[in-house]
Amino acid sequence: MPKSIPVDPDYFRQPGKLAFPDIPLHAYNTSFEDERARHGDRVLIDVLRHMMLVREFETMLGSFKAKGSYQDITYAYKGPAHLSLGQEGAAVGAALSLTPEDHIFGSHRSHGEFIAKGLSAIAKLSPQDLTRIMETHQKGNLLRAVEAHIPVSSVTNLAENFLLFGLLAEIFMKANGFNGGMGGSMHAFFTPFGAYPNNAIVGASSGIATGAALRKKLNGSRSIAVALSGDGSTGCGPVFEAMNFASMAQYDTLWTDAQKGGVPVLFCFNNNFYAMGGQTIGETMGWDRLSRIGAGINPHAMHAETVDGSNPLAVADAVARKRELLLSGQGPALLDVECYRIGGHSTTDANVYRTREELASWEKHDAISSYAARLIAAGMMTEAEVEAMKAGVTASIAAVTRAAVDPAAAPVIDIPADPTLIGRLMFSNEEIPVPTSEVKLLAAPETSARIRQDAKKSRSGIGPNGEKLSAMRAITLRDALFEAVLHHMLHDERLIAYGEECREWGGAFGVYRGLSDILPYERLFNSPISEAAIVATAVGHALEGGRSLVELMYGDFIGRAGDEIFNQMAKWHSMSAGILKVPVVLRCSVGSKYGAQHSQDWTALCAHIPGLKVLYPATPYDAKGLMASALSSEDPVVFFESQRLYDSVETFRTDGVPADYYRIAMGEPDIKRDGKDVTVLTIGPSLFPALAAADQLEQNYGLSLEIIDARSLVPFNYDPVIASVRKTGHLLVVTEASERGSFAMTLATNMTRFAFSSLKSPPRVLGSPNWIVPGAEMESTYFPQADDIIQIVTSEMYPEKHTNRRGVRNWNDLDLARQAL
Amino acid sequence: MDTPVIMPQLGNEIEEAQIDAWAKAPGDTVTKGEMLLTITTPKLTMELEAPATGILKEILVPADELASVGTTLAIITGG
């Protein structure tokens, strides 16, 4: 909502009609002679060899899946094999026009793209660089295995074997695969060659590549990101979200200086005409040619065109032209690379959805045979030389395969010998130092009304006469979050923040209010209402070396970004065996008063997914310190904030919220009130009804509650809770989440084990019931209240103290469970 | 005739807000609907418009101070 862009009725009410730019179809018309002059014969001959390597590699994999053997090598490969037979021209052609610094993000069907990109990078890197890269990766372990087990003739040859062996060992999930065997067939990558993670979720690379391109744009890299996916991915909402995110007008209208201009991302659809067994054209999609969708995204139709994927030189030509566009700030671009898949979707595909005649009709357009024929016709190779090349490629693949199935060269991962090996890969548990560098600002921080206003506030929420101060007079939880964010934004250029209405509005709940006065657009901007793209781009931006702070406004919108949070943000560190870092902080506010779709505590969903750290502070002091830790973390953090607490002031610490920067270690629950009779472990805002209950229980029943605020769900240190239960013998866990499957249930179950001998009554969970959050008028009957806590403590833990029933939860949990409640 | 400029009720949970800046000084002519001052609640900053046309006679709550909902912030006279 920038005021500099008026919404003018005189413009918008004019009659007229929209015109669309032409979208070229197979417009490539360069003569082979010109291509020889452009690339040189050596490169053109290598194109054939690269395509052959891709095909033979995949033929080998298909053979293992079909017969359990390849040539004389037997091996039981249990994993997936989504082959791209027939699509080699698209992969090799695109790679030909990319530099090692250009980064590709592939799909589940990306062995070919990975190999092609690697071969291209090897051809373009110096022998010294190749040697350094191979010596550095896994401290040279992979290189040693390749040198010891596969014969070579040159550094280039060694690097090619390194590439093929590293990939195959990864596909076979061996310890010295490129990703330590944690990625496998659908997730291989090797960043020094510019091959970033392939992705088993269809279309998921679109948003990640867009975020990576955003980082490239911000750090001034003269290189591009390529989102590789299939035609079927155009049915996926997140792909459209990513294309729109990459096309936002603000890059031209509002961003300034070197950051002005489009995002350098190429959406490259390798269109093999089938989405598994569904036929995109004519059956499952509305478009007739994939490139048509560019017209719906922006006025340039994303510079879309359809090119012939069976001709690597046509693809190389198109990618080179799009690359130039992107580097000149005119991105994004879209390519529809038609490349018929001659093999099945996977090795279990019986081709029941297409005819033999159709398959036969594409044979004459096979990328490899038609390209070889062209080289022969041009006198660049003889048929015998082509055959010799084929034999050499087959021998190379056989040698690599022989090594990859040999445990001496490619050891299996020995989990029984090291049972938590994978577990230790889930998080880096690293933090950056306190950022101190200076960054470009629009204005000095002191000029911001917000900052001046906060400077006058009391740091403590308690006034000189013991009175509680209002949100206008003391630092609130909202202000505390702002201070931690401000420090990192002012001192770390790599960090960017965005989400819906994050800029002028300051976020829907005003946490960033005032930041837009001092930070330029490229550090803080409004995103479209595209939760999937918000999170996916944050992940891509982080993988590329940036740091991302994004928000979803309401935690209820996590569903809109489910894959991006649960499969992307959570997994790239571990699936890369720790090579990649994902410093993303995802802020989710937990609503109140707005009913069933705007008031849910979904912390348990995030805590359930391995790979996410999950925080939920309830006080200003904790919020500031934990936000500082989250922003310093090299691991992804989901940071929950209660809307009900944004205006709360600091009442627990007599000094209030320190003005200076500080961090609170993640994972440490905090005792908010000492007691001896019952341990109450609270998650998020449940702290406050627990405190109210404690006051009443103390006054009216002579019982003292020890209240522990979880603060962090993942990680979680049980020791303080165990120590408390040793003292009290009773545990009540209180959460605003629906009880069934909640994190409180996990805490209670674990505490039953960890402190069984100390418990005098079963640990009890008090959460919200397993039905929808009602509107504001009924909320007090839904979220746990002080009376509900008093009822449980006096009826189940100290029944001798029980007098009248308190609270509204007069129901039988066994009956409710039978009723699906 | 004097018209008071009142601190409005800004959402049902806001009890007070801060005056950030006055766009007019006493003695200035103001037009109804013209931006007169900006205020800030804990959550947002917003502009308040002049409720009447006339002369800004007096500012009762200066910039940077807090005022409760319902407080008279200024007086517009004449018009």
Side-chain angles (χ1 to χ4, degrees):
Chain A
M1 53 175 195
K3 290 177 179 172
S4 60
I5 304 176
V7 181
D8 180 2
D10 292 338
Y11 171 78
F12 284 106
R13 293 174 57 78
Q14 287 289 322
K17 62 182 178 182
L18 284 178
F20 296 88
D22 283 345
I23 295 177
L25 302 174
H26 295 270
Y28 174 78
N29 191 26
T30 307
S31 75
F32 197 65
E33 284 310 306
D34 286 347
E35 293 288 18
R36 288 181 75 173
R38 178 183 189 176
H39 294 288
D41 286 3
R42 189 189 58 79
V43 168
L44 292 186
I45 290 171
D46 253 357
V47 165
L48 178 63
R49 195 171 62 86
H50 291 179
M51 289 195 292
M52 285 179 173
L53 278 166
V54 170
R55 179 160 302 180
E56 190 59 25
F57 186 94
E58 293 211 311
T59 301
M60 170 269 294
L61 273 184
S63 181
F64 277 125
K65 291 300 287 184
K67 301 186 295 189
S69 65
Y70 168 69
Q71 298 188 9
D72 60 339
I73 307 164
T74 57
Y75 185 69
Y77 170 54
K78 296 171 183 166
H82 300 96
L83 308 180
S84 59
L85 299 171
Q87 303 178 214
E88 298 85 352
V92 174
L96 185 61
S97 293
L98 298 174
T99 69
E101 293 75 33
D102 295 326
H103 294 162
I104 62 168
F105 296 77
S107 70
H108 60 291
R109 194 184 308 288
S110 283
H111 303 140
E113 294 151 4
F114 176 96
I115 294 169
K117 182 68 169 71
L119 293 171
S120 161
I122 288 167
K124 290 168 182 169
L125 287 164
S126 68
Q128 294 78 7
D129 281 341
L130 286 174
T131 302
R132 179 185 47 77
I133 288 167
M134 293 189 288
E135 289 283 1
T136 313
H137 182 70
Q138 293 177 4
K139 296 176 181 155
N141 280 341
L142 174 57
L143 177 60
R144 300 285 100 78
V146 173
E147 286 174 332
H149 294 274
I150 309 171
V152 293
S153 55
S154 67
V155 175
T156 304
N157 189 215
L158 176 66
E160 290 187 357
N161 287 336
F162 175 87
L163 172 78
L164 297 167
F165 176 82
L167 173 61
L168 189 55
E170 182 59 35
I171 290 172
F172 289 165
M173 299 228 154
K174 298 295 190 75
N176 57 359
F178 274 135
N179 317 138
M182 294 295 129
S185 163
M186 297 192 283
H187 312 103
F189 68 94
F190 187 63
T191 58
F193 292 164
Y196 269 63
N198 294 331
N199 211 307
I201 306 298
V202 171
S205 283
S206 297
I208 293 175
T210 300
L214 184 60
R215 178 61 192 159
K216 284 177 173 293
K217 171 184 165 68
L218 292 176
N219 71 5
S221 155
R222 295 286 297 163
S223 58
I224 70 169
V226 184
L228 290 161
S229 59
D231 45 316
S233 74
T234 62
C236 301
V239 174
F240 278 84
E241 287 192 16
M243 291 192 295
N244 178 67
F245 193 101
S247 298
M248 286 194 289
Q250 64 177 294
Y251 303 127
D252 282 321
T253 57
L254 298 169
W255 295 35
T256 55
D257 302 335
Q259 278 71 40
K260 191 180 182 70
V263 176
V265 57
L266 172 62
F267 294 90
C268 187
F269 294 94
N270 285 333
N271 174 2
N272 64 22
F273 297 90
Y274 289 97
M276 197 160 170
Q279 192 166 343
T280 43
I281 297 173
E283 185 184 22
T284 62
M285 299 306 297
W287 45 260
D288 50 349
R289 298 301 275 263
L290 191 153
S291 50
R292 183 183 289 284
I293 62 179
I297 303 296
N298 69 17
H300 308 293
M302 295 181 74
H303 310 285
E305 57 183 289
T306 292
V307 298
D308 178 7
S310 69
N311 181 355
L313 300 183
V315 179
D317 170 75
V319 170
R321 286 186 287 107
K322 300 308 172 194
R323 187 173 184 280
E324 283 308 305
L325 272 179
L326 300 184
L327 293 181
S328 67
Q330 299 178 68
L334 184 155
L335 280 179
D336 165 24
V337 185
E338 291 181 342
C339 47
Y340 191 81
R341 159 160 64 74
I342 57 177
H345 158 76
S346 64
T347 47
T348 56
D349 180 348
N351 280 321
V352 292
Y353 50 86
R354 54 183 173 180
T355 63
R356 285 173 178 280
E357 290 75 20
E358 180 183 301
L359 278 162
S361 69
W362 283 90
E363 276 175 15
K364 64 175 174 292
H365 304 294
D366 177 65
I368 296 176
S369 56
S370 58
Y371 186 78
R374 195 168 303 163
L375 295 184
I376 293 167
M380 292 164 62
M381 292 183 82
T382 65
E383 282 192 34
E385 285 169 335
V386 170
E387 284 308 310
M389 179 185 275
K390 173 87 170 55
V393 161
T394 306
S396 288
I397 296 295
V400 164
T401 306
R402 220 175 292 285
V405 302
D406 177 0
V412 295
I413 301 169
D414 191 355
I415 299 292
D418 186 359
T420 62
L421 182 152
I422 299 172
R424 295 197 306 276
L425 296 173
M426 296 311 298
F427 298 104
S428 74
N429 291 317
E430 291 172 7
E431 287 189 355
I432 59 168
V434 177
T436 53
S437 64
E438 293 307 310
V439 300
K440 184 178 96 180
L441 297 176
L442 297 177
E446 311 80 68
T447 62
S448 162
R450 163 73 175 282
I451 292 170
R452 283 188 287 118
Q453 181 189 21
D454 285 359
K456 289 190 296 186
K457 287 182 168 183
S458 162
R459 304 303 304 182
S460 168
I462 305 296
N465 303 316
E467 78 282 15
K468 192 172 163 188
L469 298 176
S470 80
M472 289 302 298
R473 294 170 191 271
I475 292 294
T476 62
L477 189 146
R478 174 189 287 111
D479 300 327
L481 290 170
F482 173 81
E483 290 180 348
V485 170
L486 180 68
H487 185 92
H488 278 260
M489 291 299 279
L490 289 183
H491 298 291
D492 188 354
E493 168 277 328
R494 296 167 298 171
L495 178 67
I496 61 173
Y498 54 96
E500 295 150 23
E501 41 276 338
C502 274
R503 197 169 166 84
E504 295 85 353
W505 201 311
F509 310 102
V511 172
Y512 297 160
R513 184 172 58 79
L515 277 185
S516 64
D517 299 336
I518 53 180
L519 292 170
Y521 270 90
E522 66 267 18
R523 302 285 316 287
L524 173 74
F525 58 90
N526 291 334
S527 75
I529 302 180
S530 303
E531 283 82 4
I534 289 170
V535 180
T537 54
V539 171
H541 180 258
L543 293 180
E544 194 71 38
R547 306 182 67 82
S548 312
L549 170 62
V550 291
E551 72 156 41
L552 287 189
M553 196 189 303
Y554 277 78
D556 309 69
F557 308 159
I558 283 171
R560 276 286 180 92
D563 176 65
E564 290 71 19
I565 300 170
F566 301 151
N567 278 324
Q568 311 301 333
M569 185 175 156
K571 294 196 169 66
W572 283 114
H573 180 71
S574 50
M575 288 175 73
S576 70
I579 294 171
L580 295 174
K581 300 270 184 357
V582 194
V584 175
V585 177
L586 174 64
R587 293 179 49 227
C588 298
S589 80
V590 181
S592 187
K593 301 181 291 189
Y594 281 18
Q597 295 176 328
H598 275 67
S599 309
Q600 301 166 93
D601 172 344
W602 277 359
T603 50
L605 287 179
C606 297
H608 179 69
I609 304 297
L612 297 172
K613 292 190 172 177
V614 183
L615 306 178
Y616 197 179
T619 67
Y621 174 79
D622 291 346
K624 180 172 177 178
L626 285 170
M627 177 56 82
S629 287
L631 290 170
S632 307
S633 170
E634 294 283 32
D635 300 314
V637 177
V638 186
F639 198 99
F640 285 88
E641 302 162 14
S642 167
Q643 289 174 23
R644 232 178 291 130
L645 300 182
Y646 277 135
D647 275 344
S648 66
V649 296
E650 180 58 44
T651 56
F652 294 92
R653 295 178 58 86
T654 47
D655 299 345
V657 182
D660 290 339
Y661 179 89
Y662 62 94
R663 296 177 187 173
I664 294 174
M666 292 187 268
E668 294 300 324
D670 184 49
I671 298 173
K672 289 287 195 287
R673 178 177 175 131
D674 292 318
K676 61 179 178 45
D677 296 319
V678 178
T679 302
V680 182
L681 175 58
T682 63
I683 298 173
S686 298
L687 169 65
F688 295 96
L691 287 165
D695 284 343
Q696 291 191 44
L697 283 163
E698 185 114 37
Q699 285 163 19
N700 304 334
Y701 298 84
L703 291 171
S704 76
L705 303 190
E706 176 140 298
I707 298 178
I708 306 179
D709 176 3
R711 301 200 292 191
S712 168
L713 283 67
V714 184
F716 189 83
N717 178 10
Y718 281 88
D719 290 344
V721 189
I722 294 169
S724 177
V725 168
R726 281 208 189 105
K727 182 169 59 175
T728 64
H730 298 282
L731 175 66
L732 171 61
V733 190
V734 190
T735 175
E736 294 199 334
S738 288
E739 282 181 11
R740 188 172 56 222
S742 67
F743 193 72
M745 288 294 187
T746 301
L747 292 170
T749 306
N750 283 339
M751 280 302 297
T752 308
R753 284 177 54 213
F754 299 155
F756 189 70
S757 59
S758 305
L759 285 162
K760 297 172 190 158
S761 67
R764 177 71 150 85
V765 168
L766 170 63
S768 295
N770 301 313
W771 49 77
I772 59 170
V773 186
E777 295 76 4
M778 293 172 278
E779 264 189 4
S780 64
T781 68
Y782 182 82
F783 295 125
Q785 305 291 310
D787 276 349
D788 303 316
I789 294 169
I790 293 167
Q791 170 66 21
I792 290 171
V793 169
T794 58
S795 64
E796 298 180 28
M797 296 169 182
Y798 292 90
E800 70 276 15
K801 301 274 189 184
H802 193 232
T803 51
N804 299 323
R805 162 162 277 286
R806 304 283 292 265
V808 300
R809 286 158 203 258
N810 190 12
W811 56 60
N812 181 318
D813 283 330
L814 287 170
D815 280 346
L816 291 184
R818 272 189 290 272
Q819 297 167 51
L821 298 172
Chain B
M1 189 186 81
D2 285 355
T3 307
V5 180
I6 306 275
M7 175 67 82
Q9 180 70 53
L10 302 150
N12 55 15
E13 289 173 0
I14 304 294
E15 292 166 3
E16 56 185 353
Q18 174 179 290
I19 314 311
D20 288 337
W22 287 93
K24 298 283 181 180
D28 286 355
T29 306
V30 298
T31 309
K32 183 175 179 178
E34 190 180 11
M35 202 269 277
L36 185 58
L37 73 159
T38 52
I39 60 168
T40 295
T41 73
K43 186 168 144 181
L44 54 87
T45 299
M46 61 187 298
E47 296 172 349
L48 293 190
E49 298 173 352
T53 297
I55 306 291
L56 183 62
K57 181 177 163 191
E58 191 180 2
I59 289 176
L60 299 169
V61 182
D64 286 354
E65 289 202 3
L66 297 178
S68 305
V69 169
T71 305
T72 300
L73 306 174
I75 305 289
I76 296 170
T77 189

